[in-house]
């Protein structure tokens, strides 16, 4: 299969929607990272997503919809979820909600779970695509399982860890503004909101909107159905050493702020800029072919998501996610 690059204009989006309607896979831009789109109602299309990514089938997929009304067709929206949707959709927030039996989603999307992860992306091209397609799109990050998430079209078709030849098309809309995946919020058995994955929306902002603190799940590879819990995720080929203040030996140092490196996530110490640069710089460092060291990143706001991804990149490669 030849993977084609579609322009992010009306014609390109119409072509993308046609591929999707025929059950084909199309990578599309979101404000966080590029997603691997498939018709979430079509089991054969969803099965191809797992195949193209080489993803363990127990890892469920995020469903992208155009707005809250569309989300309500596929999931129940309890009051706290509605508050968060009002506050942050469209945007880098995913909500794990009770799945509606009559919502028409393929069972494979949720990997058989009775909850579905839903998000309304803010990227204008994602919005145009959802409107042109007129249905829910399953959309995991558009990378091979366990590899770094793509923040540019070139990453999607990278010969190393990309999906060239495995998907019909990529919509080319340039780099993603946020650069790390969406923040995932769910509710536990007691109805307590829980941070399931730190991401592009700072957890503090969610807590402020809810007026209460989020519970946090400890990382646990024994429970791979919890999102982002597969430890070795976002993995470059090289080993990664964290909290480095200088390069040792032949390491490539990725700096931050005053810790200058061969590369620097943000010379001004700006966490938003660092998040947007993170995956691209990990790729860039990885291409140099030497061990990678990364400067300390402050652990607040977006730094929480950045450190989560860095810990996964540095974890031993025992589990594929
Ligand atoms: O920013 C993002 O969220 C990107 C863009 C493309 O939207 N998508 C993304 O999807 O990061 P993915 O599939 O790479 O990561 C989704 C995470 C996984 O860790 C998965 O386990 C979890 O969400 N997840 C999905 N559905 C779930 C469900 N029903 N219950 C619990 N966790 C779920
Ligand atoms: Mg992913």
């Amino acid at each position: 299969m030849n993977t084609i690059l579609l322009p992010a204009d009306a014609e390109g989006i119409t072509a993308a929607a046609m591929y999707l309607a025929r059950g084909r896979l199309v990578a599309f831009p979101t404000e966080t990272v590029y997603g691997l789109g498939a018709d979430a109602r079509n089991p054969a299309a969803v099965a191809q997503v797992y195949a193209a990514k080489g993803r363990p089938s127990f890892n469920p997929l995020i469903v992208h919809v155009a707005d809250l009304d569309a989300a309500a067709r596929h999931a129940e929206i309890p009051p706290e979820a509605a508050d968060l949707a009002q506050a942050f959709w469209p945007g880098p927030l995913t909500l794990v909600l009770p799945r509606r039996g009559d919502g028409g989603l393929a069972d494979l999307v949720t990997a058989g779970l009775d909850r579905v992860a839903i998000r309304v992306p803010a990227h204008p091209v994602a919005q145009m695509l959802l409107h042109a397609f007129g249905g829910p799109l399953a959309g995991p990050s558009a990378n091979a399982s366990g590899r770094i998430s793509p923040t540019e079209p070139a990453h999607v078709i990278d010969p190393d860890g990309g999906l060239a030849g495995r998907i019909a098309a990529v919509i080319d809309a340039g780099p993603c503004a946020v650069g790390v995946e969406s923040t995932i919020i769910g509710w536990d058995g007691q109805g307590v909101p829980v941070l399931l994955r730190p991401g592009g929306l700072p957890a503090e902002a969610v807590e402020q909107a809810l007026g209460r603190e989020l519970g946090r799940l400890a990382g646990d590879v024994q429970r791979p159905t919890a999102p982002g819990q597969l430890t070795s995720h976002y993995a470059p080929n090289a080993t990664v050493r964290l909290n480095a203040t200088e390069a040792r030996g032949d390491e490539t140092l990725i700096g931050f702020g005053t810790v200058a490196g061969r590369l620097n996530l943000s010379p001004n110490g700006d966490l938003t800029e660092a998040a947007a640069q993170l995956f691209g710089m990990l790729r860039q460092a990885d291409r140099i072919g030497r061990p990678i060291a990364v400067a300390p990143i402050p652990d607040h706001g977006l730094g929480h998501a950045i450190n989560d991804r860095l810990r996964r990149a540095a974890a031993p490669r025992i589990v594929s996610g």
Side-chain angles (χ1 to χ4, degrees), residues 176-239:
C176 303
V178 176
V180 292
E181 297 89 340
S182 60
T183 299
I184 306 183
I185 303 290
W187 282 263
D188 71 10
Q190 279 69 52
V192 174
V194 180
L195 178 65
L196 296 172
R197 178 178 72 181
L201 178 67
E204 294 91 328
V206 176
E207 290 178 329
Q208 201 168 20
L210 289 174
R212 61 167 164 164
E213 267 185 37
L214 291 168
R216 267 157 231 255
L217 284 191
D220 181 1
V221 290
Q222 298 305 113
R223 295 193 311 160
T225 53
Q229 299 299 301
L230 297 171
T231 304
S232 175
H233 210 136
Y234 313 104
N237 293 314
T239 60

Side-chain angles (χ1 to χ4, degrees), residues 53 55 140-141 143 147 149 181 197 233-234 321:
K53 283 182 65 85
R55 167 176 267 204
S141 52
N143 51 279
R147 308 304 294 269
S149 291
E181 297 89 340
R197 178 178 72 181
H233 210 136
Y234 313 104

Side-chain angles (χ1 to χ4, degrees), residues 28 30 32-36 53 55 58-64 92 94 96-97 109-111 113-119 121 139-143 149 180-184 196-197 224-230 233-234 321:
F28 65 100
T30 80
T32 58
V33 301
Y34 273 74
L36 176 53
K53 283 182 65 85
R55 167 176 267 204
F58 49 69
N59 207 359
L61 310 175
I62 293 178
V63 174
H64 296 68
T94 295
V96 177
L97 299 169
V109 171
T110 56
L113 300 175
D114 57 5
R115 295 185 169 246
V116 58
I118 297 206
R119 110 172 178 86
S141 52
N143 51 279
S149 291
V180 292
E181 297 89 340
S182 60
T183 299
I184 306 183
L196 296 172
R197 178 178 72 181
T225 53
Q229 299 299 301
L230 297 171
H233 210 136
Y234 313 104

